[in-house]
Amino acid sequence: MTEQRKTPYDLPDVSGLSIGILGGTGDQGKGLARRFALAGHQVIIGSRKADRARDAAADLGADLPVRGAENPVAAGEADVVIVAVPWDGHKALLESLRAELDGKIVVDCVNPLGFDKRGAFALPVEEGSAAEQAAAVLPGSRVVAAFHHVSAKLLLDPDVDEMDLDVLVLGDDREATDLVQALAGRIPGMRGVYGGRLRNAHQVEAFTANLISINRRYKAHAGLRITDV
């Protein structure tokens, strides 16, 4: 019997996975927590302070499967961990959680950006990108870059039933990128699209500055759609 070739669309079933979100009290992390909880995932919002994390979880509603905890608990107990912390605290936090994140898929969605009177701009990163910094700090983790261009406002808006965008997913581990693509697809209207190796994460992170400029000019919440895929 001839073995059937796997296509790019044969993604794993991720419906039973729990998700931890480091920096889950910020708008992007909180918005992702809300959407994944609505999709039926158990979500743990992480923060430096447990009470702040619990307050953020309570804000999302008692009917959703979301709870708050300190970052080490969220990192240690979740199946997949999303990093949504501010750039200036990125490296130190991951260094402090190296043991808890060992062996896990870690999804980095941090955008190293600066702001001045002319708007947003990409910051240089010694390792190349935030995702590559995460991979350097977490040698025992499977780091994937994704969810950089998702509007926090739309994620949190109860009147928005579907997210109209594609999520670029980058990484060096095919099994891990497939899993994160599948997770993106758990949110209605969202699709995960493989975007290359982790070394290509810099331009994906940096493009967020362009989206911010688009949004300011057009008073919009722009996202990306990839054609012909």
Side-chain angles (χ1 to χ4, degrees):
M1 183 175 178
T2 304
E3 184 178 349
Q4 204 170 25
R5 291 183 63 188
K6 185 177 180 183
T7 74
Y9 308 103
D10 292 332
L11 299 176
D13 178 7
V14 295
S15 57
L17 294 181
S18 61
I19 300 170
I21 302 182
L22 308 180
T25 58
D27 286 346
Q28 186 183 28
K30 196 172 175 181
L32 287 170
R34 176 177 179 271
R35 294 289 170 167
F36 281 122
L38 286 169
H41 292 273
Q42 296 288 328
V43 179
I44 309 171
I45 288 178
S47 177
R48 287 180 297 174
K49 297 183 178 180
D51 56 350
R52 189 178 176 201
R54 286 192 289 266
D55 288 344
D59 287 345
L60 295 178
D63 57 328
L64 290 178
V66 183
R67 63 186 174 94
E70 292 182 341
N71 282 321
V73 175
E77 294 187 4
D79 296 318
V80 177
V81 178
I82 296 175
V83 182
V85 298
W87 167 240
D88 58 3
H90 181 261
K91 186 174 185 179
L93 176 67
L94 295 183
E95 286 176 337
S96 73
L97 298 174
R98 188 178 287 122
E100 289 85 352
L101 295 172
D102 188 62
K104 293 183 184 286
I105 291 177
V106 176
V107 185
D108 201 299
C109 64
V110 175
N111 298 306
L113 299 177
F115 296 86
D116 60 19
K117 292 181 179 179
R118 293 189 292 171
F121 60 95
L123 295 173
V125 180
E126 181 180 355
E127 295 85 354
S129 64
E132 288 171 290
Q133 183 182 89
V137 170
L138 304 171
S141 302
R142 302 156 74 188
V143 175
V144 175
F147 300 111
H148 299 90
H149 307 141
V150 185
S151 166
K153 186 174 180 63
L154 295 182
L155 287 171
L156 289 167
D157 191 337
D159 294 325
V160 175
D161 294 325
E162 294 192 1
M163 301 293 297
D164 182 21
L165 82 160
D166 290 331
V167 171
L168 291 175
V169 179
L170 299 93
D172 298 329
D173 182 316
R174 174 62 184 270
E175 185 180 37
T177 56
D178 280 358
L179 184 145
V180 176
Q181 283 181 252
L183 276 178
R186 294 282 295 164
I187 298 176
M190 192 180 288
R191 180 181 63 153
V193 177
Y194 175 71
R197 298 280 187 163
L198 207 62
R199 68 181 182 181
N200 291 317
H202 166 72
Q203 55 263 38
V204 174
E205 296 170 4
F207 187 68
T208 306
N210 300 86
L211 282 178
I212 290 171
S213 298
I214 292 168
N215 291 335
R216 286 181 174 175
R217 173 65 64 90
Y218 296 100
K219 296 180 172 56
H221 302 289
L224 293 177
R225 279 294 191 196
I226 307 300
T227 62
D228 201 33
V229 173

